[in-house]
Amino acid sequence: QQQVKQSPQSLIVQKGGISIINCAYENTAFDYFPWYQQFPGKGPALLIAIRPDVSEKKEGRFTISFNKSAKQFSLHIMDSQPGDSATYFCAATPGGQGAQKLVFGQGTRLTINP
Amino acid sequence: DGGITQSPKYLFRKEGQNVTLSCEQNLNHDAMYWYRQDPGQGLRLIYYSQIVNDFQKGDIAEGYSVSREKKESFPLTVTSAQKNPTAFYLCASSARTGPYGYTFGSGTRLTVV
């Protein structure tokens, strides 16, 4: 119930292509879904996040699509660039009072070939 | 600038020694977290604290200890009981009120020699 399943584990995309990473969850209490980007040897950094009251959120080349009924959400990277090569983590957390733990997916290692 | 500072960036430990990893934040966040990351792996929660003087075990707490005496600080001690401590350790913090995303530090890479 507390898991977030992320796929694929690794992904290779040509420069200029679209990168798509998918996540699925079971806990309907989750109400905040962030994506993190991590470069080697660095801590993850918040990339983009969405709440379930919207189906899509776009920031530059990065878009989150959210399907509440299917309990799935995905990250799309348009016009993928070599600088996007990193590990991406999806996450989810329930609402409620006080700070809540994030539940992370297992991560996707994205490689953009020039 | 507000943020989380982890130190040291690299740490070497002899077998049988305890070591303490530092984590300090000036974001005025109530909650703080410690994660372990092994090569090519995801993030595994070691300990977390939602308020000063209180903390809870995460999924892999055995061989680790923490304290939370100040809001800004959440040090992690890797004890000699931790069988395989070589890993990348990440500290994070979050606010009590939303949005609930974490801010991560830059990590400490611990190697047992």
Side-chain angles (χ1 to χ4, degrees):
Chain A
Q1 264 263 323
Q2 284 295 321
Q3 282 188 327
V4 175
K5 295 182 180 179
Q6 183 173 347
S7 63
Q9 267 192 306
S10 63
L11 179 63
I12 300 174
V13 174
Q14 292 299 118
K15 180 182 174 182
I18 302 174
S19 304
I20 302 174
I21 304 170
N22 301 298
C23 287
Y25 64 98
E26 290 293 325
N27 188 346
T28 55
F30 287 152
D31 78 342
Y32 178 70
F33 302 87
W35 284 88
Y36 287 83
Q37 180 188 54
Q38 184 183 28
F39 293 106
K42 304 292 185 184
L46 179 65
L47 186 62
I48 187 172
I50 197 168
R51 290 197 181 273
D53 52 347
V54 297
S55 59
E56 186 175 283
K57 183 174 182 180
K58 184 175 181 179
E59 289 184 5
R61 295 184 294 108
F62 300 90
T63 300
I64 300 179
S65 297
F66 188 86
N67 186 330
K68 188 173 181 178
S69 60
K71 289 183 282 187
Q72 295 175 348
F73 58 110
S74 59
L75 176 70
H76 292 64
I77 306 175
M78 312 299 288
D79 187 27
S80 299
Q81 298 298 312
D84 298 329
S85 297
T87 299
Y88 292 81
F89 293 96
C90 64
T93 189
Q97 293 294 324
Q100 302 286 341
K101 288 186 298 177
L102 280 172
V103 178
F104 286 93
Q106 283 302 104
T108 296
R109 179 174 289 186
L110 174 65
T111 302
I112 307 300
N113 283 336
Chain B
D1 284 340
I4 295 185
T5 301
Q6 288 188 243
S7 62
K9 189 170 178 63
Y10 299 96
L11 187 57
F12 297 89
R13 190 195 91 171
K14 293 183 180 179
E15 285 196 25
Q17 285 183 337
N18 293 354
V19 289
T20 298
L21 282 58
S22 170
C23 179
E24 303 275 335
Q25 56 100 358
N26 60 4
L27 298 165
N28 199 33
H29 283 170
D30 290 291
M32 298 186 73
Y33 313 82
W34 275 105
Y35 285 86
R36 171 180 172 141
Q37 187 174 33
D38 293 286
Q41 302 297 311
L43 303 168
R44 292 189 289 169
L45 182 64
I46 304 172
Y47 269 98
Y48 65 103
S49 167
Q50 294 182 315
I51 198 167
V52 175
N53 292 323
D54 188 43
F55 49 83
Q56 287 79 40
K57 293 182 180 180
D59 302 316
I60 56 165
E62 185 175 349
Y64 299 98
S65 66
V66 293
S67 63
R68 186 86 188 275
E69 297 176 1
K70 298 187 301 181
K71 187 176 184 177
E72 302 79 17
S73 178
F74 191 40
L76 173 74
T77 297
V78 184
T79 75
S80 56
Q82 170 49 234
K83 297 287 185 273
N84 184 21
T86 295
F88 189 50
Y89 291 87
L90 288 159
C91 179
S93 70
S94 69
R96 177 176 286 275
T97 56
Y100 301 105
Y102 291 2
T103 299
F104 281 90
S106 56
T108 292
R109 187 167 301 281
L110 173 63
T111 304
V112 173
V113 296

